[in-house]
Amino acid sequence: MGSPTLQPEMGSEGLGPLLDKDEMEMAHQYFLEDLQEKLRTSLKNAVKLELEEVWQKEKEPEILNDYYHSDMHITVCELIHGYVKNSREIGLEQEVVSTCTEELKHFSKQ
């Protein structure tokens, strides 16, 4: 692809957008819905793992500064950070932050 002999034929200046505005909006909406479902599933799996590794084994939870401690918050932050970081490449960072925030509202009520 980097060959100079191909450069004149590979020009992308005259191509324009590959998807029209409506198709792009539909793709973005699908992406956000899929992300929300993946986040919901990942959060449920994190809770399930916590239950299996700590509570069902009747293991004493770690105590820090007289409070029970769990690494669940680290898992949640890493998930969201990954989604937001990846969304920057397609220009949906704000929408992804909003989607994650909405999903966390539901998660915190569980």
Side-chain angles (χ1 to χ4, degrees), residues 11-22:
S12 61
E13 297 81 28
L15 285 179
L18 299 177
L19 298 173
D20 66 29
K21 188 176 180 177
D22 291 338

Side-chain angles (χ1 to χ4, degrees), residues 56-96:
Q56 289 179 350
K57 291 182 180 178
E58 297 182 16
K59 226 169 92 175
E60 274 296 312
E62 186 178 348
I63 298 176
L64 294 173
N65 299 323
D66 297 325
Y67 294 101
Y68 290 118
H69 176 74
S70 167
D71 288 335
M72 176 79 66
H73 67 286
I74 296 170
T75 302
V76 171
C77 289
E78 286 175 346
L79 278 169
I80 292 173
H81 175 73
Y83 289 135
V84 171
K85 183 179 173 186
N86 292 337
S87 69
R88 286 182 189 137
E89 295 178 23
I90 58 173
L92 290 177
E93 185 176 6
Q94 287 301 108
E95 291 87 343
V96 167

